[in-house]
């Protein structure tokens, strides 16, 4: 270490240090001068670069809104794609359910076919039997009409000849018994095919138009007779009026029973399977419903029998109220009415068509 006194000269080391300091100062000065004397274009460039940086930040802030719109669009596209995948999944599931239902229906159809092999043969035999029964009844009814025409001709001759009450009464009883035969014939035919009798296919179209449970309405027939059987006593008028009212009440009761049967039958057929019991359950429900419906249809024969009984009882009560000659005239009026109705039907079918 060099000691420096007040009156001592600086050593060579001091001289070297001084030269090092001066050299560093010169370099610093030159750097300062170079920085001070730098090219104005460089300054402008640096200044320009600073301005560009400011513009970039402004542009970025301006580009934020388009970026947000793009992000929203992307989010909407992703949501739409997700919903599309869900719809596709649901559609595939629906197709699978449809396939299972189709398989179930095929199984039920196969079971029904297996059961139908035996049932079809029975049905064919039943249809053949019903057709034979209907044809047999139609043939018997044609013969009945021929016999009725013959009996009515005898009755008309007796009335015009002013036959006695005994002779006339015998003919009246014969004609009345012949009317009662048609009720018996209808009852036997209904056991084979009740629909054929109720539908009135054995009658002419005009007669079918006024058909009521396989025949005529007793109350309506009495209305026609009262106006053409004069003179009648007051007692006879009251008797026929009471008979008409009682017949009308019985008709209403039968009509209500038929309506109730129709409603019950419709409900039985409409109550289908819930689809939760499987194929065998559905077939079982179907067969059960058909069995119940068949049982209810069996009551139709009972309604027809009651209606024919009402018709027969009305005719019998009418004969009790009227005299023998009035009863004969009443039977002639009934025959002429239905005969003219059949003739009207034939004329209608044979009418010229434009």
């Amino acid at each position: 270490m060099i000691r420096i006194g007040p009156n001592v000269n600086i050593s060579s080391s001091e001289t070297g240090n001084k030269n090092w300091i001066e050299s560093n100062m010169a370099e610093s000065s030159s750097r300062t001068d170079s920085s001070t004397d730098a090219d104005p274009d460089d300054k402008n460039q640096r200044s320009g670069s600073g301005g560009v940086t400011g513009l970039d930040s402004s542009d970025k802030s301006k580009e934020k809104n388009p970026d947000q719109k793009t992000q929203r669009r992307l989010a909407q596209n992703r949501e739409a794609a997700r919903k599309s995948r869900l719809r596709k999944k649901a559609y595939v599931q629906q197709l699978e359910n449809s396939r299972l239902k189709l398989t179930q229906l095929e199984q039920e159809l196969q079971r029904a076919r297996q059961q139908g092999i035996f049932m079809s043969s029975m049905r064919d035999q039943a249809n053949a039997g019903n057709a034979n029964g209907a044809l047999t009844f139609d043939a018997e009814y044609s013969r009945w009409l021929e016999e009725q025409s013959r009996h009515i001709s005898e009755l008309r001759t007796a009335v015009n000849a002013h036959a006695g009450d005994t002779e006339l009464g015998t003919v009246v009883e014969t004609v009345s018994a012949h009317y009662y035969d048609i009720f018996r014939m209808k009852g036997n035919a209904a056991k084979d095919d009740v629909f054929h009798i109720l539908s009135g296919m054995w009658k002419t179209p005009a007669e079918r138009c006024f058909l009521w449970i396989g025949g005529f309405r007793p109350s309506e027939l009495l209305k026609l007779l009262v106006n053409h059987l004069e003179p009648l006593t007051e007692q006879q008028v009251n008797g026929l009026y009471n008979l008409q009212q009682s017949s009308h009440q019985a008709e209403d009761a039968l009509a209500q029973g038929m309506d109730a049967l129709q409603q019950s039958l419709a409900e039985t057929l409409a109550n289908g399977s819930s689809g939760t019991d499987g194929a065998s359950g559905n077939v079982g429900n179907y067969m059960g419903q058909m069995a119940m419906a068949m049982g209810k249809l069996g009551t139709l024969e009972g309604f027809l029998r009651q209606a024919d009984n009402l018709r027969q009882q009305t005719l019998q009560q009418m004969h009790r109220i009227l005299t023998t000659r009035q009863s004969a005239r009443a039977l002639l009026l009934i025959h002429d009415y239905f005969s003219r109705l059949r003739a009207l039907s034939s004329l209608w079918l044979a009418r010229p068509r434009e």
Side-chain angles (χ1 to χ4, degrees):
M1 182 176 181
I2 301 174
R3 296 177 65 156
I4 301 176
N7 297 320
V8 180
N9 294 328
I10 300 172
S11 63
S12 59
S13 63
E14 289 176 346
T15 303
N17 291 332
K18 182 179 178 181
N19 292 334
W20 180 80
I21 293 172
E22 289 176 354
S23 176
N24 288 337
M25 290 177 65
E27 291 178 0
S28 176
S29 176
S30 66
R31 284 196 300 271
T32 304
D33 292 338
S34 64
S35 63
T36 305
D37 298 335
D39 191 357
D41 293 338
D42 294 341
K43 293 180 180 179
N44 293 336
Q45 184 176 3
R46 286 193 297 271
S47 175
S49 64
V52 170
T53 304
L55 292 174
D56 291 342
S57 61
S58 176
D59 292 341
K60 288 180 180 179
S61 63
K62 291 180 180 179
E63 290 176 355
K64 287 182 180 180
N65 290 335
D67 289 343
Q68 291 176 357
K69 292 181 180 178
T70 303
Q71 292 297 329
R72 284 198 298 270
R73 290 197 187 103
L74 292 175
Q76 291 175 356
N77 292 338
R78 287 192 295 270
E79 181 66 17
R82 185 183 69 84
K83 292 181 178 180
S84 178
R85 288 192 297 271
L86 292 176
R87 286 194 298 269
K88 182 179 180 181
K89 184 178 180 181
Y91 178 69
V92 172
Q93 184 63 35
Q94 184 179 1
L95 290 178
E96 180 64 18
N97 293 336
S98 299
R99 186 187 66 81
L100 293 176
K101 290 181 180 179
L102 180 59
T103 302
Q104 179 178 349
L105 289 175
E106 290 177 351
Q107 293 175 355
E108 293 181 2
L109 181 60
Q110 184 64 24
R111 290 175 60 89
R113 285 175 177 173
Q114 291 176 356
Q115 295 180 359
I117 293 175
F118 176 71
M119 294 177 63
S120 61
S121 60
M122 293 181 60
R123 184 171 57 251
D124 293 340
Q125 295 177 359
N127 290 336
N130 291 340
N132 292 333
L135 292 174
T136 301
F137 174 78
D138 292 347
E140 291 179 352
Y141 180 67
S142 297
R143 289 193 296 269
W144 183 88
L145 288 176
E146 294 176 358
E147 294 178 1
Q148 184 190 40
S149 297
R150 181 169 52 83
H151 292 316
I152 290 296
S153 178
E154 295 176 357
L155 180 61
R156 198 183 305 275
T157 301
V159 171
N160 293 334
H162 300 285
D165 288 346
T166 302
E167 181 183 356
L168 187 60
T170 302
V171 181
V172 168
E173 290 179 359
T174 301
V175 175
S176 299
H178 186 69
Y179 266 108
Y180 304 153
D181 282 343
I182 190 60
F183 302 140
R184 177 187 55 79
M185 291 165 52
K186 288 167 59 180
N188 293 334
K191 296 177 181 178
D192 295 329
D193 189 358
V194 66
F195 295 108
H196 182 72
I197 305 301
L198 288 175
S199 64
M201 295 305 296
W202 43 284
K203 285 184 171 292
T204 61
E207 288 178 297
R208 289 199 297 269
C209 183
F210 303 99
L211 202 66
W212 175 78
I213 312 183
F216 60 86
R217 281 183 177 270
S219 61
E220 296 295 331
L221 191 63
L222 288 174
K223 285 182 182 180
L224 297 176
L225 296 177
V226 169
N227 296 329
H228 295 84
L229 291 178
E230 297 177 353
L232 294 171
T233 65
E234 183 178 355
Q235 184 178 0
Q236 288 177 325
V237 172
N238 292 334
L240 290 175
Y241 176 79
N242 293 333
L243 179 60
Q244 179 185 343
Q245 291 299 314
S246 62
S247 298
H248 186 70
Q249 292 176 0
E251 291 168 8
D252 288 343
L254 287 175
Q256 292 176 4
M258 288 287 290
D259 291 341
L261 172 62
Q262 182 179 2
Q263 181 65 27
S264 177
L265 183 63
E267 292 177 355
T268 300
L269 296 177
N271 290 332
S273 174
S274 61
T276 59
D277 298 332
S280 60
N282 290 338
V283 173
N285 289 341
Y286 174 81
M287 299 303 294
Q289 287 175 343
M290 291 299 103
M292 292 178 61
M294 289 288 290
K296 292 179 179 181
L297 283 180
T299 60
L300 286 174
E301 184 180 344
F303 280 105
L304 176 63
R305 183 172 56 253
Q306 294 181 54
D308 281 342
N309 288 338
L310 177 61
R311 285 184 270 265
Q312 182 173 343
Q313 291 174 7
T314 301
L315 291 176
Q316 291 173 346
Q317 292 293 331
M318 180 192 70
H319 290 313
R320 294 190 181 97
I321 296 173
L322 300 176
T323 63
T324 302
R325 193 163 299 274
Q326 289 173 337
S327 294
R329 290 174 56 194
L331 292 175
L332 291 176
L333 288 170
I334 293 173
H335 173 268
D336 291 344
Y337 170 75
F338 288 112
S339 178
R340 290 171 183 175
L341 196 58
R342 288 191 294 269
L344 177 62
S345 183
S346 300
L347 291 174
W348 174 258
L349 294 176
R351 75 190 186 281
R353 294 173 176 81
E354 297 179 358

